[in-house]
Amino acid sequence: MIVLGIETSCDETGLALYDSERGLLAHVLHSQIALHAEYGGVVPELASRDHVRKTLPLLRGLFQQAGVGPRQVNGVAYTRGPGLIGALLVGAAIGRGLAWAWQVPAIGVHHMEGHLLAPMLEPEPPPFPFVALLVSGGHTLLVRVDGIGQYRILGESVDDAAGEAFDKTAKLLGLPYPGGPALARLAERGAPGRFQFPRPMTDRPGCNFSFSGLKTAAINTWRTLEPTVENRADVARAFEEAVVETLAIKCRRALKATRLKRLIIAGGVGANRRLRERLREVTAELGGQVHYPRLEFCTDNGAMIAYAGWRRLAAGQREDTAIEVLPRWPLDSLPAVD
Ligand code: KG4
Ligand code: ZN
């Protein structure tokens, strides 16, 4: 079974073809970074319009790369939410339109389930059950995963998501959009240990997160300093260390509470090198194992949507012809797949 995946929830147009027999056939991505850079963040209406312009030309390139044609596609999966409503509607309308034209079933995929299943695209996919740390621009979630659609939320952010904290702090430090990767690059040059920022909510039981205070700590420190490259790098380093250490403490807690040994990390912040290293150490200390998607599948992409869509279509789930997208959509409301 070959499934076309379409991701348009935010500022990336991602398309992929996943074959249940041969695995991922091809994937293509167009990033809107250049389009939004001059505004310092994503402009939703510009994002929607760019998805309209890019999706079909990208689709042609995808088929060429994969060496298959539209008639070989057996199902279409698109991101149904959560995300920007206009951007979601573009992928949903195109996805449903193609499925109707090709007379194949369609399914709307939960964006965070896509992220959560992205490690399944790697050569050694993690077996269930496991704990998932989902860290993106919009969400920070710790989830117990017993199967597809069998999700128990162990903890979430009470304010900013981890990626959002990276982006906002980067902006306050004067770094260009998209701030997260720029801040991480700068932190590489920073001196460890010069500043110590709090590890929020680690002194309380549970696995919830709070990141908004960290950005205030970082900016208050930055304002007392000469605006030199070294000072900026040292603040970035301390901020990154505080986020990474906080996430590591909560992951350890979640693994201990569930008595599970396996951790998966997904979502854009999962591309952070220091976070990947730290969580490898934490799981090794507990005698467990950590799984990540390859770097390009940490951030938004069509491959994860094609994969998640395939798992649900293969289980017989499909939608009727009404198009509905969900800007907000709780992950633990999804139906299970046996
Ligand atoms: O999953 P994603 O591509 O989109 C959402 O679903 O939100 O995640 C994007 C987020 C952004 O906040 C971005 O700054 C962050 O992931 N990010 C990083 C890194 N690469 C991307 N944050 C820290 N370090 C990185 N290397
Ligand atoms: Zn995402």
Side-chain angles (χ1 to χ4, degrees):
M1 178 182 203
I2 296 181
V3 175
L4 166 68
I6 304 175
E7 155 62 33
T8 65
S9 69
C10 189
D11 57 349
E12 251 119 23
T13 319
L15 300 172
L17 286 164
Y18 187 87
D19 182 347
S20 55
E21 303 293 314
R22 292 180 289 163
L24 188 66
L25 298 180
H27 73 101
V28 291
L29 187 85
H30 170 73
S31 162
Q32 301 180 350
I33 286 177
L35 179 69
H36 301 294
E38 67 174 293
Y39 304 97
V42 179
V43 183
E45 189 50 32
L46 292 183
S48 318
R49 291 181 202 181
D50 201 55
H51 289 308
V52 171
R53 276 192 294 270
K54 297 292 168 17
T55 306
L56 290 180
L58 275 172
L59 183 63
R60 284 185 203 106
L62 178 75
F63 279 127
Q64 249 169 24
Q65 223 186 80
V68 300
R71 291 195 186 285
Q72 285 157 277
V73 174
N74 308 105
V76 178
Y78 59 87
T79 305
R80 185 182 181 206
L84 301 172
I85 188 156
L88 290 167
L89 275 169
V90 176
I94 292 177
R96 298 307 299 262
L98 290 172
W100 187 76
W102 297 336
Q103 291 295 293
V104 296
I107 185 115
V109 170
H110 193 293
H111 182 78
M112 297 312 289
E113 178 172 78
H115 276 304
L116 195 154
L117 296 177
M120 301 295 184
L121 293 161
E122 298 310 311
E124 284 181 37
F128 300 114
F130 50 74
V131 171
L133 172 69
L134 302 179
V135 270
S136 71
H139 295 82
T140 306
L141 290 170
L142 263 168
V143 190
R144 182 194 163 108
V145 181
D146 286 291
I148 294 180
Q150 297 178 48
Y151 308 134
R152 195 157 66 79
I153 310 285
L154 304 169
E156 59 194 317
S157 179
V158 298
D159 43 50
D160 292 351
E164 191 180 359
F166 263 94
D167 295 338
K168 286 180 176 172
T169 306
K171 204 170 183 177
L172 292 168
L173 289 175
L175 300 174
Y177 158 88
L183 193 152
R185 268 196 306 279
L186 184 65
E188 293 292 320
R189 293 153 52 191
R194 179 169 165 212
F195 302 110
Q196 179 83 10
F197 296 144
R199 276 62 172 144
M201 293 181 77
T202 51
D203 54 351
R204 288 183 232 175
C207 289
N208 281 344
F209 305 93
S210 162
F211 289 113
S212 75
L214 260 183
K215 108 194 140 222
T216 315
I219 204 58
N220 286 346
T221 302
W222 170 239
R223 287 200 178 122
T224 64
L225 302 169
E226 289 287 311
T228 62
V229 178
E230 290 76 28
N231 282 340
R232 201 198 310 256
D234 292 350
V235 173
R237 177 71 184 246
F239 170 83
E240 187 185 61
E241 267 171 10
V243 175
V244 167
E245 207 40 46
T246 304
L247 292 171
I249 291 167
K250 300 288 169 141
C251 285
R252 184 188 288 122
R253 228 177 248 182
L255 288 169
K256 283 196 165 163
T258 56
R259 295 167 190 259
L260 294 175
K261 295 272 185 221
R262 210 174 284 281
L263 177 71
I264 73 117
I265 305 155
V269 185
N272 185 277
R273 195 180 62 78
R274 216 174 295 279
L275 179 67
R276 291 163 87 97
E277 268 170 24
R278 189 72 191 98
L279 291 177
R280 196 184 297 280
E281 287 167 12
V282 165
T283 44
E285 280 162 21
L286 295 172
Q289 237 187 317
V290 65
H291 296 256
Y292 323 91
R294 70 195 81 162
L295 284 180
E296 61 184 330
F297 293 162
C298 279
T299 42
D300 291 348
N301 65 85
M304 66 187 196
I305 302 302
Y307 180 84
W310 163 59
R311 295 295 301 251
R312 289 192 174 275
L313 287 168
Q317 294 180 12
R318 31 210 47 31
E319 284 169 6
D320 60 28
T321 46
I323 296 177
E324 182 194 41
V325 295
L326 300 167
R328 289 171 192 277
W329 190 5
L331 180 64
D332 51 2
S333 68
L334 295 181
V337 169
D338 311 320

